Amino acid sequence: MTTAVESGLRRQELARFLRSRRERITPEQVGLPIVGRRRTPGLRREEVAQLAGVGVTWYTWLEQGRDINASEQVLQAIARTLRLDPHEHVHLFRLAGAPEPEGEKDCQVITPAMELMLRKLEPYPVAIRNARCDLLGYNRGYTWLMGDVDAIPFGDRNTLVQCLLNPEWRKRMLDWDANIPRVIASFRAAMADHVAEPAWKQLVKRLKAESPLFAELWPHHDVNSEPIRTKRYLHPDVGLLQFNFTYLYYGRRSEITMSTYTPADEETAAKLPLMFD
C-alpha cells in the first residue's frame, strides 16, 4: 500500500519531471510565435495547458505537486505536447499513479529477466543504457562504484551528463581525460539516427552550455563507435579498481545496452563487497 508520504514524494518528483520537460521545448518547436521577452526557458505553463487542452489552473497544480488526479487521456495529451519519448512516457504515467500506456508497454526495456540479471550479477556493477546515454537500470554494485545514483534526479540520470557535469563521477574515473573525448565521439555517432529528435537536441544544447569541454569538442564532429573495453576507477573506500567491460544488446537492432563490469585483476575482485544488506 502506498503511504501518504510516498504519494507526496511521487507528486513532487512528477512536478520536477514536468517542469524539466516543459523547459526543454521551445515555442518554435510547437508552432507558437515568440511575443516579447521570455523570462524562463522553454514553454510557459499556460502554453502547455493550451496545447494539451487542459485548464491552466489544473496544469499549474500538477506542476506544483498538489494532490490531484490526472486521467489517462489528459496524461496522453501532456505527453504529446511535451514530446516525451517512450521511456519518458511510461515514467510520466508511473509518477502520476496511472496504468501504463498500452502503446508504450512494448517499449519497456527493464524486463523481469533483466531485473533478475541485474541482481544475480551483484556484486559486479551492471548498468543498462539507451543510445542517448540515459541510465535506464542499474544494480547495487553500480551504485557502490559510482555513488548514490538514486539521489540523482530522474532527468539527470544520463551517464554523459554525469561524466561531464558531476565532479564526484569525474574523481572516480581515473582515465577521464583520455576517455571522455571517445565517449563524446560515440554519442555523436549514435545521434546520426536521432538528429531531429527534441530530446537529443536538448541534451546537446544543455551540454554545450554547461560543459566547456563538450562545447569545445562537439564542433569537431569526431565519431567513434568502438566501445571502451577497460576502465579504471578510484573508489573512496577501497582505492584503485580495474574493470573489463562486456556489452550485451537487448536485440539485434536494439539501442539498449547492458554493460557489465567484471574485475580485471585479483586485487579488484578482492575489494568488491561480498554482499549487500
Side-chain angles (χ1 to χ4, degrees):
M1 179 180 294
T2 302
T3 67
V5 173
E6 291 172 340
S7 296
L9 291 174
R10 189 172 63 184
R11 290 196 303 273
Q12 290 301 317
E13 182 66 15
L14 173 61
R16 289 190 289 268
F17 178 67
L18 288 172
R19 286 196 296 271
S20 72
R21 292 316 183 250
R22 170 171 59 84
E23 290 172 354
R24 79 180 185 186
I25 303 295
T26 65
E28 297 96 328
Q29 288 176 311
V30 294
L32 293 177
I34 299 179
V35 179
R37 185 176 180 180
R38 303 178 72 90
R39 294 179 296 175
T40 58
L43 298 176
R44 299 186 176 109
R45 287 173 175 170
E46 56 267 27
E47 291 170 336
V48 173
Q50 175 188 348
L51 292 167
V54 301
V56 175
T57 300
W58 184 91
Y59 181 78
T60 299
W61 287 350
L62 195 64
E63 271 206 16
Q64 290 175 342
R66 298 201 187 188
D67 188 7
I68 58 175
N69 294 320
S71 68
E72 295 180 38
Q73 182 179 3
V74 167
L75 291 173
Q76 291 284 14
I78 292 174
R80 287 193 299 270
T81 299
L82 298 179
R83 301 190 175 190
L84 302 185
D85 66 19
H87 178 60
E88 295 167 331
H89 199 163
V90 171
H91 187 68
L92 170 66
F93 272 64
R94 285 178 175 172
L95 290 177
E100 294 172 9
E102 288 294 331
E104 306 296 342
K105 285 185 178 179
D106 291 339
C107 296
Q108 295 245 35
V109 296
I110 310 300
T111 65
M114 296 175 82
E115 290 180 350
L116 180 61
M117 291 177 67
L118 286 173
R119 294 195 304 271
K120 290 297 184 180
L121 287 171
E122 292 173 348
Y124 295 166
V126 182
I128 300 175
R129 306 176 183 86
N130 60 17
R132 200 176 58 208
C133 302
D134 294 322
L135 192 55
L136 308 180
Y138 47 88
N139 65 1
R140 290 175 293 181
Y142 188 80
T143 61
W144 175 82
L145 177 65
M146 302 309 300
D148 190 0
V149 181
D150 291 337
I152 299 173
F154 177 83
D156 289 339
R157 289 180 196 169
N158 177 285
T159 55
L160 186 57
V161 168
Q162 294 303 311
C163 287
L164 286 166
L165 304 181
N166 188 336
E168 179 63 28
W169 277 44
R170 181 167 181 170
K171 284 193 301 184
R172 294 185 182 223
M173 303 171 71
L174 283 180
D175 301 311
W176 188 92
D177 291 325
N179 287 338
I180 201 64
R182 293 179 60 185
V183 174
I184 294 173
S186 178
F187 176 76
R188 163 76 76 175
M191 192 172 177
D193 293 325
H194 306 274
V195 290
E197 296 180 25
W200 286 72
K201 293 192 292 184
Q202 182 64 26
L203 179 56
V204 171
K205 181 180 178 181
R206 175 187 179 183
L207 292 174
K208 287 170 68 176
E210 299 182 27
S211 169
L213 179 62
F214 186 89
E216 174 189 343
L217 296 180
W218 190 250
H220 294 177
H221 290 267
D222 292 335
V223 293
N224 186 341
S225 57
E226 179 64 26
I228 300 171
R229 299 295 180 181
T230 303
K231 292 183 182 180
R232 300 189 306 154
Y233 294 85
L234 185 63
H235 193 278
D237 296 329
V238 300
L240 176 65
L241 299 167
Q242 300 188 81
F243 291 99
N244 293 325
F245 274 59
T246 302
Y247 300 91
L248 306 175
Y249 293 89
Y250 188 41
R252 190 170 185 179
R253 299 179 182 276
S254 176
E255 294 184 325
I256 304 302
T257 308
M258 175 182 285
S259 304
T260 62
Y261 301 51
T262 53
D265 52 46
E266 293 182 1
E267 290 79 6
T268 297
K271 293 175 181 177
L272 295 179
L274 295 178
M275 63 184 66
F276 293 95
D277 295 331

